[in-house]
Amino acid sequence: MFGSFGYKEAGLYDEYMADHPNIKIEESSPQNESDYWSALQTRLAGNSGLADIQGIDVGRLALVTQEQADKFVDLSSLDGADEYFGEFLPWKVQLATTADGAILGGGTDVGPIVVCYKPAMLEAAGLPTDREEVAALWDTWADYVDAGDQYMANAPEGTYWMDSAAGFVRAASGATGQRFSDASGELVWDTNPAVTDAWDLAVDAIDGGQVSPLTQFTPDWNKSFTSDEYATMACPSWMLTYIKGQAGDSGMGQWDVAAAPGYQNYGGSYLAIPEASEHQAEAWDLLKFLTSAESQKKIFEKAGSFPSNQGAISAISDFQDPFFNDAPTGQMFTEVLNNMPEQVIGVNDLIAESAILNAINSVAQNGTDPAQAWSDAGAAIDSAVG
Amino acid sequence: MLLHQNRKGLSTARQGYLYLAPFVLLFFAFGLFPLIYSAVISLSDARLQNPSGGEFVGLENYTALFADQFFWNALKNTVTLGFMAIGPQLVIALVVANLLNYRLKGQLFWRIAIIVPYATSVAAATLIFSQLYSENFGLVNGFLTTLGLPAVNWQSGTFASQVAIASIVTWRWVGYNALLYLAAMQAISPEQYEAAELDGASKFRQFLSITIPEIRGTIVFTVILSTIGGMQLFIEPLLYEGGPTGMSGGLSRQYQTLALYMYQQGWANNRLGYGSAIAFTTLVLILVVLAAGFLLVRLGRALSDANIRRARTQASLVASHPEPARMELA
């Protein structure tokens, strides 16, 4: 989840301020990325009210590198940049690089996807509960939907197989790394099989009654973590953090993690320094500290966001998460990361995505005709892109 | 400083301008300038990343707006939400004000209590209401189902979600309007009620025949205020469901208002020019509605004045020559 990077939870601010008595760090933590982004855009346009370090979601990055390169500091020109960026996953750095070779953000987390599930609910429906056997239920997302049919056949009354239509489409559309735009930046969502296949599968799952009628990141969905609404959900690494936060201590041991069909990434963020910042040197120092191998390792262990710094990735490969029944999440996420396709991000990706996710949710929640919903999504995207 | 000693210093007129200056400056900075600026921007394809760098496109944004199904949808929602919120809100406020106008124990307490909802933050109120209306966990549906009624889909149903949002607006504004009405009611002379009482008119009859006509002006005023408020409805729908669907007014835009649509185009889609066109169109619509309202009021007043005059003439004519006079008038 974009809202929280977990720096405070991992004690990094206190640590940094103890070493640098002249620096005082204040964090404001927005819960909703789109509200945060709108506010940031307004401030960038007015060139005021900006923090010394601003977070940027990977979905916005193309917009930043292509349209707002002059608003952010080119980090590649700063002290120790070569050495610093050398530590990161190359594609993570590549996404933040402009056509002129300026690097506008330091990588924080990435979002390799697994499936989170509740063993007790699978057991009640007569399905296996061991994470290896669960993962063996599916080679593809279509198998995952088939497993959902098996679950629904014997499921406890009033429960679902997956948490939301949107969560499924997001996960299942990531297999090729190219979702809504192609490498030249053109919108291709309506012809891209990665998206259309995920859509069709989601419609099948909805027809099978296995999709809970919830919208992700709404209060109702947040509450669902403390009850047995659904048995599984697609989990980018940051989602594990989210589940811990929402389920609280009572959720300890109720969840487990199995490998997802295929290897895909969802989400992840960057830290950038606005040109308007008055403390650029200090901000760069702090940015390096917050994204260093050691810091990212701590964040992963305390808060769960998966690192993009390769030093941190190898340092946590043995990590087991006590909350998720000691699942070897370090090793599982690393495997996804090593096999993941390269990411393609376009300027209008988040616009296209939100229209498509709204549309599939309206099929799941209101019973909108899928063909109608698909064309509504098209109209919404056309209207937004202008 | 006494005004008549002013001959040596500023003239009274100049002093007046000086007192007004802060307001005028603020108005230019935060009222007029944004108005003109958004009018200019609405003629360009400015984007949020570069607000002053748009190219002039003439009326393109406006012609696009008229062909935009989402604009019409937002306009329709704004109107239906407005009716759902304003009608009940003013009726309830009238009734409440009438009750408060009686001698009550703890009068001050009730009067303060009724204004409390207005003093709460919109955001807090909306969040609480959205919990009450939550489909699976909400009190409202819990109550309905214990009564054996079916649970209502307060979030994705078009009508149901609009009713829910209208109820938040109503809840917040009833007290405010009630206090306005109460103030107007206090100005009605008690003799009128006493006379009506003597004639045997019921309390309800007094309410209809004395109270409402006497505070007609205030009612018109509140209708105008609420209409403007209704046209700008924003935070309630934005926060009602919250999360990523807030800006589009629900999954299928079932309660997206004009203000929300403007925000979405301008700030989420970065289309500042188009967003400004929506804002400006909204302003024009408000002005049209207000003008229509004033015309209706004047028409109403002219009609009732004419009635009174005719009644008076009739009365005097009837006194002198009953039959022919009436024929003349006809």
Side-chain angles (χ1 to χ4, degrees):
Chain A
M1 178 62 189
F2 180 78
S4 151
F5 286 105
Y7 299 138
K8 206 176 282 168
E9 292 82 347
L12 291 176
Y13 291 145
D14 291 340
E15 191 183 327
Y16 190 81
M17 285 189 279
D19 288 349
H20 301 78
N22 55 333
I23 306 274
K24 187 166 179 287
I25 303 170
E26 287 174 29
E27 180 194 65
S28 52
S29 163
Q31 271 310 305
N32 186 338
E33 198 276 335
S34 56
D35 293 344
Y36 164 78
W37 178 250
S38 304
L40 177 60
Q41 291 299 301
T42 316
R43 288 172 184 167
L44 282 175
N47 218 9
S48 73
L50 290 158
D52 291 312
I53 296 182
Q54 295 279 359
I56 296 176
D57 186 274
V58 63
R60 306 284 187 188
L61 213 56
L63 206 58
V64 170
T65 54
Q66 290 171 36
E67 294 184 17
Q68 295 189 307
D70 57 332
K71 303 273 189 191
F72 291 97
V73 175
D74 174 10
L75 304 177
S76 71
S77 65
L78 302 178
D79 272 357
D82 288 346
E83 194 191 340
Y84 168 75
F85 284 109
E87 294 174 12
F88 285 83
L89 294 168
W91 62 265
K92 185 80 180 171
V93 179
Q94 191 53 42
L95 283 177
T97 308
T98 68
D100 305 338
I103 304 178
L104 302 180
T108 60
D109 56 327
V110 288
I113 289 175
V114 295
V115 173
C116 298
Y117 67 97
K118 288 187 149 179
M121 293 180 78
L122 292 196
E123 187 170 23
L127 291 173
T129 58
D130 174 76
R131 64 179 74 93
E132 303 283 334
E133 290 172 45
V134 171
L137 291 171
W138 49 68
D139 278 333
T140 63
W141 286 104
D143 296 339
Y144 171 76
V145 173
D146 289 343
D149 288 333
Q150 287 180 45
Y151 173 83
M152 293 311 290
N154 302 301
E157 185 77 23
T159 69
Y160 299 93
W161 174 239
M162 58 177 100
D163 75 305
S164 68
F168 175 81
V169 169
R170 283 210 284 212
S173 61
T176 62
Q178 174 174 303
R179 283 186 167 93
F180 311 109
S181 309
D182 66 13
S184 69
E186 287 297 309
L187 279 174
V188 293
W189 63 277
D190 52 344
T191 51
N192 181 7
V195 176
T196 53
D197 290 354
W199 175 277
D200 292 341
L201 276 178
V203 171
D204 288 347
I206 292 165
D207 287 343
Q210 40 170 299
V211 184
S212 146
L214 288 167
T215 307
Q216 289 195 323
F217 305 110
T218 57
D220 271 13
W221 182 73
N222 289 344
K223 264 179 259 170
S224 71
F225 290 100
T226 49
S227 62
D228 281 344
E229 279 277 297
Y230 42 80
T232 68
M233 71 187 294
C235 270
S237 48
W238 44 263
M239 191 68 90
L240 271 59
T241 321
Y242 199 88
I243 294 177
K244 286 179 201 169
Q246 294 297 335
D249 291 341
S250 61
M252 182 96 178
Q254 296 200 13
W255 292 83
D256 208 323
V257 176
Y263 302 108
Q264 42 253 303
N265 181 69
Y266 189 79
S269 297
Y270 290 81
L271 294 182
I273 304 173
E275 278 290 354
S277 160
E278 287 171 20
H279 312 99
Q280 295 185 2
E282 292 86 351
W284 171 235
D285 195 51
L286 175 62
L287 190 156
K288 281 195 289 188
F289 169 76
L290 291 175
T291 52
S292 69
E294 198 167 319
S295 295
Q296 290 202 349
K297 173 173 180 280
K298 282 182 194 155
I299 294 163
F300 177 71
E301 287 168 359
K302 293 266 169 49
S305 303
F306 199 80
S308 59
N309 189 312
Q310 302 187 69
I313 295 172
S314 50
I316 56 160
S317 57
D318 297 334
F319 181 78
Q320 298 186 324
D321 196 327
F323 188 93
F324 290 90
N325 279 333
D326 288 324
T329 48
Q331 175 243 319
M332 291 169 77
F333 285 130
T334 309
E335 189 189 334
V336 179
L337 213 53
N338 290 338
N339 294 287
M340 229 164 54
E342 201 165 315
Q343 307 289 295
V344 180
I345 310 268
V347 173
N348 293 313
D349 270 24
L350 284 197
I351 284 172
E353 178 190 86
S354 92
I356 292 164
L357 299 188
N358 277 355
I360 195 68
N361 276 340
S362 88
V363 176
Q365 295 174 26
N366 305 353
T368 310
D369 172 53
Q372 179 65 41
W374 181 258
S375 80
D376 288 348
I381 292 169
D382 289 344
S383 151
V385 172
Chain B
M1 196 196 322
L2 292 170
L3 283 177
H4 60 260
Q5 287 175 334
N6 249 355
R7 243 171 262 156
K8 288 173 210 152
L10 292 166
S11 75
T12 320
R14 281 214 189 140
Q15 223 180 18
Y17 287 125
L18 207 64
Y19 286 135
L20 272 178
F23 167 75
V24 173
L25 286 179
L26 282 178
F27 173 73
F28 274 111
F30 297 105
L32 199 59
F33 174 71
L35 190 72
I36 295 171
Y37 194 65
S38 66
V40 171
I41 279 194
S42 74
L43 301 175
S44 78
D45 63 355
R47 292 180 63 77
L48 188 57
Q49 285 81 20
N50 190 5
S52 49
E55 256 175 61
F56 182 79
V57 294
L59 292 175
E60 210 172 89
N61 284 329
Y62 290 93
T63 47
L65 201 58
F66 283 104
D68 181 350
Q69 52 160 320
F70 299 129
F71 169 72
W72 293 109
N73 173 58
L75 180 59
K76 193 188 83 199
N77 287 342
T78 308
V79 171
T80 52
L81 262 172
F83 275 114
M84 281 188 213
I86 296 168
Q89 171 188 334
L90 297 185
V91 172
I92 298 171
L94 260 178
V95 173
V96 169
N98 196 45
L99 292 177
L100 286 176
N101 202 21
Y102 293 130
R103 294 204 171 281
L104 292 170
K105 251 188 195 162
Q107 209 162 32
L108 190 65
F109 169 78
W110 294 115
R111 288 180 186 175
I112 292 176
I114 193 73
I115 196 73
V116 164
Y118 173 69
T120 56
S121 107
V122 202
T126 308
L127 288 180
I128 289 171
F129 269 86
S130 74
Q131 307 261 312
L132 294 178
Y133 284 118
S134 154
E135 200 189 338
N136 297 323
F137 312 98
L139 262 181
V140 177
N141 271 352
F143 183 68
L144 288 179
T145 43
T146 37
L147 288 183
L149 296 166
V152 174
N153 197 342
W154 292 109
Q155 268 160 356
S156 43
T158 305
F159 182 68
S161 60
Q162 293 198 3
V163 167
I165 291 170
S167 75
I168 307 174
V169 181
T170 302
W171 179 80
R172 275 197 78 236
W173 287 90
V174 157
Y176 179 86
N177 288 308
L179 284 195
L180 285 180
Y181 291 152
L182 182 62
M185 286 175 187
Q186 307 254 303
I188 304 173
S189 74
E191 283 89 7
Q192 291 197 49
Y193 291 108
E194 281 161 23
E197 200 91 35
L198 284 178
D199 288 345
S202 67
K203 289 281 184 205
F204 183 64
R205 183 76 219 176
Q206 294 175 27
F207 176 65
L208 285 187
S209 302
I210 301 174
T211 314
I212 290 192
E214 285 287 325
I215 65 167
R216 200 178 51 195
T218 313
I219 294 179
V220 171
F221 176 67
T222 55
V223 168
I224 290 171
L225 269 194
S226 341
T227 309
I228 298 176
M231 294 291 288
Q232 299 173 331
L233 207 57
F234 177 68
I235 299 181
E236 288 91 344
L238 177 71
L239 294 182
Y240 175 58
E241 210 167 345
T245 50
M247 227 183 278
S248 52
L251 283 179
S252 32
R253 300 177 193 254
Q254 66 270 31
Y255 51 87
Q256 185 174 47
T257 58
L258 282 175
L260 265 188
Y261 190 48
M262 174 200 75
Y263 182 64
Q264 186 181 38
Q265 287 289 12
W267 275 264
N269 303 340
N270 304 319
R271 300 179 65 193
L272 211 54
Y274 198 63
S276 300
I278 299 171
F280 219 75
T281 310
T282 310
L283 173 71
V284 171
L285 284 172
I286 291 180
L287 292 179
V288 167
V289 170
L290 286 189
F294 279 120
L295 272 182
L296 276 179
V297 171
R298 292 197 87 166
L299 200 66
R301 199 174 294 153
L303 279 178
S304 73
D305 283 357
N307 277 338
I308 292 170
R309 231 176 294 127
R310 192 193 302 166
R312 278 191 194 136
T313 357
Q314 274 181 1
S316 59
L317 288 176
V318 168
S320 45
H321 338 266
E323 292 309 310
R326 229 174 246 166
M327 287 170 65
E328 265 173 48
L329 274 173

